[in-house]
Structures are given as C-alpha cells and as structure tokens.
Amino acid sequence: MDYKEKIAQALANAADMPAEQIEPMIEVPTDSAMGDYAFPCFRLAKEFRKAPPMIAAGIAEKLELPECVKEAKVVGAYINFYLDNARIIRDVLVDVTEKGEAFGSVDIGHGRNVCIDYSSINIAKPFHIGHLSTTVIGSSLYKIYKFLGYNPIGINHLGDWGTQFGKLITAYKMWGRRQDIEDNSISAMLALYVRFHDEAEKDESLNDTAREWFKKIEDGDAEALEIFNWFKEVTLKEVKVIYDMLGVEFDSYDGESFYNNKMQPIIDELRDKDMLEESDGAYVVRLGEEIPPCIILKTDGATLYSTRDLAAAFYRKKTYDFYKCLYVVAYQQDLHFKQWFKVVELMGYEWAKDLEHVSFGMVSLEGATLSTRKGNVVFLQDVLEKAVEKTRAIIDEKSPDLQNKDDVAKVVGVGAVVFDALSTARIKDSTFSFERVLNFDGETGPYVQYTHARCKSLLRRADFDYKNHEKDYSAIDNKEAFAIAKLLLGFGETVQRACEKSEPYLVTKHIIEIAKAMNRFYFEHRIISDDKAATAARLMVADCVSGVIKMGLGLLGVGAPERM
Ligand code: ARG
C-alpha cells in the first residue's frame, strides 16, 4: 500500500526513467488542494532540454494512472496527484482489520539483539522524579524494538558500588535499626546517609571507619557483604512497587558491582596497546584535543564509574553480541559517555559505533505541589500515587456510575504521567504539572485513552456484528475519514522512525493526531444510524482507530481501559 511507490512507478514508465530516481523527487504538498502527492519537473530540465512545464505536460500525457490515483493535474511545472480517497480508506481499514496487532510492524530486527540500559537506579538512594524519563523512555524503546522484530535486552545497571556503601554500613552499625530499614527502606537509608555526613563533619574518624567497611566489602568480608546485599534487596523491593505500577521489566539487574572482577583484562589491554598514561598518579586515556582524558584508575588504584562502564560494554558485546547498545541516561552524563565510547573506538573495536547514548533533559516540578519526605527529593512513587488519587476524583465527578473505578484510576493516573514524560523530544527540559497531564481535553494520555474508550463504547452500543455485515464505504468517503486513514497508514512508519531516532514521543504525537482525527470524525458524522451498511462502515473506522491507539499506547507502556 505504498502509494508513493506506485506513483513513482507510473511516472517512471511515462518518463522512461528508473523509479528509484523518481521516488525521492516526489513531494507531499502542504496544501492538500494541490493534491496528495506532487511531482516537480524542474530538475529534469537539463536531461530533457525543455522547459519544466512542457516536461510536466509531456509526462502527464503518457501517464497511466495507478488504481489508487483518481486524477493527475498539471499545474505549471508540477504534476499533482489526487488519491482515490474512498478506495484508500477502504484499503487501510481492511488492512488494519486483517493484520490486527501486527499492523504496522515489520520484522526488520530479526535475529538482532539490542541492549537497552535504562532506569539504572542507585542502591539506597531515592527513586525520584528524575528517574522517570530514563525508566519510561527505556521501557518504551524496549517495546518498540520488540515490535519491530528485534530482541531487546533490558538492563538495569544498578549503581551498587562506591565508597558510599562503606559510609552507609558505618552509619547503620552506629545508629541504625534493622526494623526501621525493613519498614522504611530507602527513606531510612537516606536518613542514615545524611546523618553520617553531619556527624563526620564533627568527627573525622568516621570517614576512616567508612573506608574500612568499604574495603571489607571489596575483600568479600561476610558481615560486610551481608549488610550490603541486604541494602540492595530492600531497595529493589521498594522500587519493584514502582516498576509494577509502571509495568516496567528488566532482563538483567547486573549493576556496577557485577563488573568488579571484569575490569582487569581491559586495563591490561589498554596497557598493552600503550593507551594508558600516568597523570598525577592516576591512569588516563588521552582522547585528543576536543575531549578531556578518560580516567581509568584513580591515584589509589581504585576504578571508576567509567572503568565499570567499559567492562560492562565488553561483557555485553561478548554475552549478547549486540547490534546496538543503548544507554538511556540524562544529558548531565554526555561527557562521560562520549569519553568511554571514544576509548572503545581507540582500542580499535568497530562496534564502538553501535554504542548510543540516548540522552534526555530534566524534569522539574511546577510549584511545590508535592510535599517531600526528606530533603528536597520528590519520590516518584508519591507522584504516581497522587496522580491516581486525583484521577479517581475526576472519575467520581465525570463518570459516577463507572465500575472498577479504582482500576481505571490507576491505568489513567499512572498512564497520564508516563504519557506526559514521552510527549516531547527527549532533550528538552520539561516541567511537570498535574493540571496539565490530567487534562482530559489537552494533548494528554487521558484524552487519548478517552478517545479509545469512546470508540469501544460506540461498538458496544451498536451491538451488532458489523464485521460480517455488508458495508457501504461511500458512507465514509469524506475528508474526516480520509484524514484518519492517512494517519493509520503512517503508524508503522512512525514507529520505525521512533526506533531509528530513539524518540518514543513520535509515537505519542502520532496517536494524539489519530485521536484528534477520530474526534473530528465523530463530531461531523453520526456513527450509528438506521442504515446498517453505512453504520457498519463507520463502526469499522471506530474499531480500527481504537485498535491502533491501543497498540500505540502499548508501545509507550500506557494502558487503554475499555470504559472510562
Ligand atoms: N546509576 C547511574 C545514575 O543514576 C546511571 C547509570 C546509567 N548506566 C550506565 N551504564 N552508566 O546516574
């Protein structure tokens, strides 16, 4: 159903040129009065040695229109093509119906593994609103890759290494209570951590104790490891609640500590390749004029975050033989990734080009609408819970008779937050506001979900087997249905583009457009009437729209309730 391709073929025959050369020249006019596609002849002037309008007329004369085209008109140097709308609408609807959940998917990723490093939280640290983007962008990319036939591997590269764990154990041994940590998990650990810093200002020796504890973790001391692993367990148990709310999953939780015993071979290789240079007692790899050197070993011989990332990349290459390895991490770490990617490149590995930093901007909170539990951190769980609570209140007001109000409030409330986080280009900073994300009339998750539910309600209300009923497609030969058909047709291409650019928001925008087009159609045309054949055709539109919206929401990690 590639109309452009068909038009290119027809033009190619008429102009006696290869279709591959013609196709990229075909344009989509901004004003649809000028047709759905246009072929400008300016660039052919040299070859044909004629004035462009004459070339256009000449080609048009010989043109055999493909079936999808109703009319071709020559306007100046352009040949404008008008698609046969009724036919296209029908083709698209039939295609969506036949393909179902596979509509728009192509198996371009077959046999290709893609590692996606996302969420990657830090143990014993709050899961705050700043982690929202990495979690939902990563999870959406995971679903998009899967949709396109790839085999994605979701990795939560836990921040579970560093001297702060020595501090935490010290604080726990001095002031902590087991029960408190079991009950309040991250908050309790955070409080201990804060206390450690306060007390260490007064008593320097605490830092020595912390260093000793960290050393014990490194050396595999039983008690140190027991506490350290318990901190991990408690943290993961708490964040699991959030992951469950968001419907986010991982295939691996191998974090920084996992790579402790996997760095040496890489350090050796760097040394063998003469890439390691001493600098004030530390060891670095120089990266040229533009990029500051990448530190591999600190003065005390300790490794760094980047050393572990290097080891992780080699491990992933070996384990998954990835086609691509993505890192969904905020732009504050742009330099970090640039540096160690460059190290891999300089080591001579061509797969360095397959490492991709999927960078994103900051989310800040509008006003002080949320009380913070401790310090100035806004816990993501609080944001999600508040969104659900507010949604529940809206439902009580708008649809008092709805069943399963609590379930719907969860899907809509959480969905609204996720949808919003995926609605702008990644790199933009954004401000979160409950008023905006929960606005049922804005370009929001609830708006799109509501459109889906409205389609479902039409199908329920009509209550007849439209699929097996004869359809009068002339009832949907109108510009509103045509706009819908074009958007449905472009869905798959949009998903592919979202994948190529690692930009889930392209899918978000696309389904917003579908929802808007559906609402325009609904506003202009009565869907259910006494004319069964016409009703069947219009219900088919509603059914296809709800199906594609649901798929799109699914790719974002947002649910689509049947009723709202
Ligand atoms: N834990 C890190 C942070 O919160 C993010 C880790 C990202 N992944 C990676 N492989 N570096 O800043």
Side-chain angles (χ1 to χ4, degrees), residues 117-123 128 131 134 155-160 256 305 308-309 312 316 326-330 333 336-337 340:
D117 180 321
Y118 60 105
S119 201
S120 300
I121 50 144
N122 299 320
I123 296 302
H128 55 82
H131 293 109
T134 167
I155 304 173
N156 197 327
H157 184 80
L158 298 178
D160 59 358
E256 294 191 43
Y305 179 49
R308 276 183 289 281
D309 256 330
R316 289 174 194 174
L326 312 183
Y327 297 84
V328 188
V329 186
Q333 296 190 28
H336 163 74
F337 286 102
W340 76 258

